[in-house]
Amino acid sequence: MKNKTCYVTTPIYYASGNVHIGNSYTTIVCDAFARYHRLKGYDTFYLTGMDEHGLKIEEAAAKRGITPQELTDEVALATKSLWKDLKVTHDYFIRTTDLNHIENVQKAFEKMLANDDIYLGSYEGDYCVSCEAYFTKTQLGENNTCPDCGKPTRRVSEPCYFLRLSKYSDKLLKFIDEHPDFIEPESRRNEVVSFIKSGLEDLCVSRTTFKWGIPVLSDPKHVVYVWIDALLNYLSALNYSESNDSNYQKYWVNGEKVVHVVGKDILRFHAVYWPIMLMALDVPINFKLYVHGWILMKNGKMSKSSGNVVYPKDVTSRYGLDSLRYYLLREMPLGNDAIFSYDRFIERYNADLANDIGNLLSRSVSMINKYFNGEVVKPVSYVNQFTLDVEKVLNESLKKTDEAFSNFRFQNGLIEIWNAIGRANKYIDETTPWILAKDEAKKSELNEVMYTLYEVLRNVAILVSPVMPDTAYKMFLALNVTSDLQTFASLGFGKTISVKVLEKVEPMFVRLDMNKELAAIEKEQEEAKAVKKLELKPEITIEDFDKIDLRVGKVLEAKRLEGSDKLLVLQVKIEDEVRQIVSGIAKNYKPEEMVGKYVVVVANLKPVKLRGVISNGMILAASGTAKDALEVIEINKEREYAKVK
Ligand code: MSP
């Protein structure tokens, strides 16, 4: 029998830059899935992490003058901290530079080599560094651009190990045929089937043109192709091994649910290469693939060059975490793209969060306090004509939400929950509690209405908890729900016997003024554009800096260097020594302006000849921006002599 386990994974993110709301969507939706399964009692293992090898990362590190390891350490740290802020509850954060992963990849590669599923050949092709993938001529865009990201590809030729994809294509087609729900949604499954049917060429799975990767154990000139390396993370994280007590046995081999969640752009790698690797490794294909679309901006794809990238903090710092988590999951239907825009976000915030769920909670709690001193008691019998319908709608919503959340349809699940919320809000208008309250004979009917609202809210809090953990917490607190009534088993109408709610609740979502918000966001974006990041030379250490000997010197004489409009020749007295220094400040200072100044001199700079004149040291000068005039750094003139360090 299968264990009641759930293993859910995000793709591992390239460690070359910051994670934006697009990648955050994947992590948040997987988090909701993991939380929901924990709630349902599944022993759940949620994996995310970083894809840290490859040419792209090697080049990004070189550009910054740091090692790839330093770059990936930095990005991994920042990403982990972002996930913490977004309340992501992963059980493990894998990095492909982890030692156990490296060993796992090396072993797997050797195993496939020994079985002749991998063989040595040579490859010439058009390679996209950004996507770390080769493309055939027919796949390339205009001017040999990458069909996925549009950037130019490079012609690359190298000896290379190949994975025999062709050998497995019939077996894979058969597998997909026998497992109709292997890839969801169906449109993506069809895409995969036609890709395989169009003929699979063997895949080049090693590289010799760069170093930053996992060396092939038996032939270390080669590093393992980054996608083979990356895909194996899903097994490394489970301590993939033959032993019976590993997580691999528990969550993968004998697990009930193994779910990989990926964006549409990386479908081929997960739906074709990965299952074939598993067949070659003799690992059961136990997983299911959910393929989602992209979060787009109104003007298309998010990209640094078009300056339209939105980071989670941009949203959460103004509107809190749950509104972002809700918006992303509510807007994105499985398989299709969704648009992120602030006006749509604010609309949803006001309608769904401030009005629907927020108002239902605050109105209900305040009425329960007003009419019953905060006490809610389960009625002995029900008399109000609308109660039954509310109960029916709630119970249906529970069933449909469960179906949706269990099958990764978060948009559908949230629509179902909001149906119940909408029904409860309508129930208030139908039952008019303020009129019932005027009639002492209607006291028990009024209690029934309050109880019904309470039970809808308690159920809603449980259901939204995987998506909006803070909101659920606030609701449980306001409704004073004991922990046994916050569980999956306690879902359903009528489980509460009696309870006293909190006297007062703060609004969970304060209504936003659309125009004011949009203006503020625009202003923020303008300001952010104005503050361009400094383009710096590679970082130096304090030890590097310590090599510089800075001294204060007094300028005794200064004259123009003949034939140059940039250079001044200065005689500078440092302690008892007089130095000749040639300095490029003639455009900013007349010679006579320099005389008498106390300046800072790099005193141990190797002497050079400039236009035939010896320069023994350098005078420090700086400017705010490239447009500003250069200014010499001066030391307090009152002091006859000073030593800077
Ligand atoms: N490193 C590979 C994955 C290896 S998994 C074995 C990779 N990394 S990535 O950082 O480029 O992308 C990671 C995920 O983020 C992909 O699933 C991709 O679809 C997703 N997204 C990137 N931009 C996105 C949006 N704008 N919207 C939604 N998802 C997006 O590919």
Side-chain angles (χ1 to χ4, degrees):
M1 217 188 66
K2 297 255 180 199
N3 300 329
K4 197 178 173 188
T5 61
C6 172
Y7 179 40
V8 54
T9 69
T10 71
I12 46 174
Y13 303 102
Y14 285 130
S16 44
N18 285 341
V19 173
H20 50 61
I21 57 163
N23 328 89
S24 303
Y25 164 76
T26 320
T27 313
I28 291 171
V29 77
C30 289
D31 185 54
F33 190 77
R35 283 174 182 265
Y36 189 67
H37 283 81
R38 287 190 202 110
L39 184 70
K40 275 184 90 171
Y42 279 76
D43 178 342
T44 301
F45 191 97
Y46 172 21
L47 173 72
T48 188
M50 305 260 44
D51 190 351
E52 302 191 340
H53 290 125
L55 184 55
K56 190 157 59 167
I57 285 158
E58 192 175 89
E59 288 185 345
K63 214 166 144 191
R64 285 196 36 206
I66 55 178
T67 64
Q69 190 65 57
E70 282 167 340
L71 174 68
T72 55
D73 285 350
E74 188 185 300
V75 179
L77 204 69
T79 309
K80 271 189 195 170
S81 133
L82 173 66
W83 296 154
K84 197 164 169 230
D85 291 346
L86 301 186
K87 302 231 162 108
V88 171
T89 56
H90 53 276
D91 297 282
Y92 191 54
F93 187 94
I94 193 166
R95 301 179 54 188
T96 53
T97 50
D98 290 343
L99 204 63
N100 71 330
H101 173 72
I102 292 174
E103 282 171 8
N104 185 36
V105 171
Q106 287 182 322
K107 262 199 238 157
F109 198 96
E110 291 304 315
K111 186 168 173 185
M112 291 189 275
L113 201 57
N115 292 344
D116 194 39
D117 283 315
I118 287 182
Y119 61 92
L120 185 62
S122 86
Y123 194 88
E124 189 177 348
D126 297 283
Y127 191 68
C128 173
V129 175
S130 206
C131 300
E132 302 276 13
Y134 277 110
F135 293 97
T136 59
K137 281 279 177 235
T138 51
Q139 290 173 317
L140 292 179
E142 242 178 80
N143 299 326
N144 293 339
T145 47
C146 169
D148 284 349
C149 73
K151 292 185 186 151
T153 55
R154 294 180 192 176
R155 192 84 194 147
V156 176
S157 163
E158 52 181 334
C160 167
Y161 285 94
F162 286 88
L163 176 63
R164 292 190 198 279
L165 295 188
S166 42
K167 172 177 160 189
Y168 287 101
S169 69
D170 288 344
K171 208 172 155 187
L172 181 57
L173 278 175
K174 188 163 172 270
F175 177 86
I176 297 175
D177 192 46
E178 286 167 359
H179 298 83
D181 58 357
F182 170 48
I183 302 165
E184 284 196 40
E186 206 188 336
S187 53
R188 299 294 173 198
R189 175 177 182 268
N190 298 341
E191 222 174 88
V192 170
V193 169
S194 52
F195 177 75
I196 304 170
K197 283 189 174 158
S198 72
L200 294 181
E201 283 175 30
D202 291 351
L203 177 72
C204 172
V205 291
S206 72
R207 299 286 184 269
T208 51
T209 43
F210 61 89
K211 288 264 157 300
W212 183 241
I214 300 180
V216 172
L217 211 55
S218 55
D219 190 358
K221 293 189 295 298
H222 293 256
V223 295
V224 176
Y225 172 42
V226 65
W227 267 101
I228 299 295
D229 166 352
L231 287 162
L232 282 162
N233 91 86
Y234 301 132
L235 291 183
S236 305
L238 297 178
N239 289 327
Y240 161 58
S241 75
E242 311 298 327
S243 97
N244 280 339
D245 57 355
S246 73
N247 276 343
Y248 165 65
Q249 294 293 335
K250 177 175 170 191
Y251 290 105
W252 189 286
V253 180
N254 302 311
E256 183 180 324
K257 278 192 162 188
V258 178
V259 165
H260 294 319
V261 180
V262 297
K264 60 183 182 183
D265 51 315
I266 57 173
L267 169 62
R268 190 169 22 116
F269 300 96
H270 285 82
V272 181
Y273 305 160
W274 181 224
I276 289 182
M277 283 166 69
L278 294 177
M279 289 183 208
L281 289 169
D282 223 3
V283 169
I285 309 174
N286 267 351
F287 69 90
K288 176 170 179 129
L289 205 56
Y290 286 109
V291 188
H292 64 75
W294 278 46
I295 303 275
L296 302 174
M297 295 295 120
K298 274 185 181 163
N299 56 353
K301 249 175 151 173
M302 256 184 286
S303 75
K304 274 195 185 147
S305 51
S306 35
N308 63 354
V309 183
V310 177
Y311 296 100
K313 283 246 165 76
D314 299 341
V315 183
T316 56
S317 59
R318 284 188 81 81
Y319 305 113
L321 172 61
D322 277 3
S323 56
L324 176 69
R325 291 180 61 114
Y326 173 76
Y327 179 86
L328 292 177
L329 270 53
R330 174 64 184 76
E331 284 291 293
M332 190 85 136
L334 185 72
N336 293 334
D337 296 337
I339 291 193
F340 179 89
S341 76
Y342 277 106
D343 44 1
R344 183 111 184 96
F345 174 86
I346 293 164
E347 246 170 54
R348 276 228 171 278
Y349 181 104
N350 280 340
D352 301 2
L353 302 180
N355 272 8
D356 292 348
I357 195 171
N359 269 350
L360 182 63
L361 179 78
S362 49
R363 281 172 93 188
S364 306
V365 170
S366 92
M367 286 192 290
I368 294 168
N369 273 300
K370 190 167 167 196
Y371 304 136
F372 293 99
N373 247 337
E375 303 281 352
V376 181
V377 181
K378 184 172 179 174
V380 184
S381 60
Y382 296 86
V383 293
N384 187 281
Q385 54 167 326
F386 299 107
T387 305
L388 201 65
D389 190 49
V390 175
E391 190 184 330
K392 199 175 115 224
V393 170
L394 176 68
N395 285 336
E396 255 166 39
S397 143
L398 293 177
K399 215 173 104 228
K400 288 188 179 158
T401 305
D402 179 45
E403 215 174 281
F405 281 6
S406 302
N407 291 297
F408 227 85
R409 279 15 182 220
F410 282 90
Q411 185 188 53
N412 303 30
L414 288 169
I415 292 172
E416 287 306 327
I417 302 173
W418 258 255
N419 255 345
I421 295 172
R423 183 66 195 85
N425 271 322
K426 191 169 155 221
Y427 179 66
I428 300 179
D429 299 335
E430 289 165 343
T431 55
T432 55
W434 49 94
I435 296 176
L436 295 179
K438 288 186 184 146
D439 186 348
E440 195 49 36
K442 297 268 166 82
K443 189 101 185 161
S444 73
E445 189 178 344
L446 182 61
N447 174 60
E448 173 186 328
V449 173
M450 293 302 112
Y451 180 82
T452 304
L453 292 174
Y454 181 93
E455 276 298 88
V456 171
L457 281 164
R458 183 184 66 82
N459 277 277
V460 163
I462 301 174
L463 288 182
V464 298
S465 66
V467 178
M468 304 202 286
D470 290 346
T471 303
Y473 177 77
K474 284 182 196 162
M475 291 175 79
F476 287 141
L477 215 62
L479 301 170
N480 198 11
V481 183
T482 49
S483 55
D484 57 321
L485 289 176
Q486 299 180 9
T487 60
F488 189 79
S490 74
L491 280 170
F493 187 84
K495 301 278 167 67
T496 302
I497 305 299
S498 82
V499 68
K500 189 169 189 322
V501 302
L502 229 60
E503 264 169 46
K504 207 176 148 28
V505 288
E506 296 300 320
M508 294 194 293
F509 301 96
V510 180
R511 236 191 119 71
L512 302 169
D513 178 324
M514 173 76 85
N515 291 336
K516 233 162 87 186
E517 290 305 318
L518 291 181
I521 289 160
E522 196 178 334
K523 190 164 162 245
E524 236 172 49
Q525 287 170 340
E526 290 300 316
E527 279 166 8
K529 264 188 215 153
V531 188
K532 282 218 193 90
K533 259 206 134 196
L534 291 177
E535 293 246 344
L536 295 178
K537 292 177 186 166
E539 192 176 83
I540 59 167
T541 62
I542 186 78
E543 288 78 23
D544 296 331
F545 183 77
D546 208 38
K547 291 182 188 155
I548 301 171
D549 203 333
L550 295 176
R551 302 296 173 109
V552 173
K554 183 176 182 183
V555 180
L556 302 179
E557 287 172 28
K559 60 175 187 190
R560 286 191 180 279
L561 179 68
E562 249 174 68
S564 163
D565 56 355
K566 282 195 198 132
L567 300 174
L568 292 185
V569 183
L570 308 121
Q571 305 300 322
V572 182
K573 187 174 180 232
I574 303 170
E575 298 191 31
D576 292 330
E577 187 184 322
V578 178
R579 296 267 188 106
Q580 173 166 289
I581 299 177
V582 179
S583 176
I585 52 174
K587 286 201 166 159
N588 307 87
Y589 292 91
K590 291 186 187 130
E592 58 274 22
E593 281 175 325
M594 288 303 296
V595 175
K597 279 192 196 303
Y598 288 87
V599 292
V600 181
V601 177
V602 180
N604 61 336
L605 193 66
K606 192 173 172 186
V608 285
K609 261 190 184 173
L610 292 168
R611 297 192 170 228
V613 179
I614 275 280
S615 178
N616 190 4
M618 177 197 276
I619 291 175
L620 290 190
S623 63
T625 70
K627 279 185 275 163
D628 296 339
L630 200 64
E631 271 189 61
V632 160
I633 298 168
E634 274 186 85
I635 292 294
N636 187 350
K637 294 185 183 62
E638 300 303 310
R639 293 167 67 185
E640 181 63 21
Y641 161 79
K643 190 171 177 215
V644 174
K645 61 190 241 22

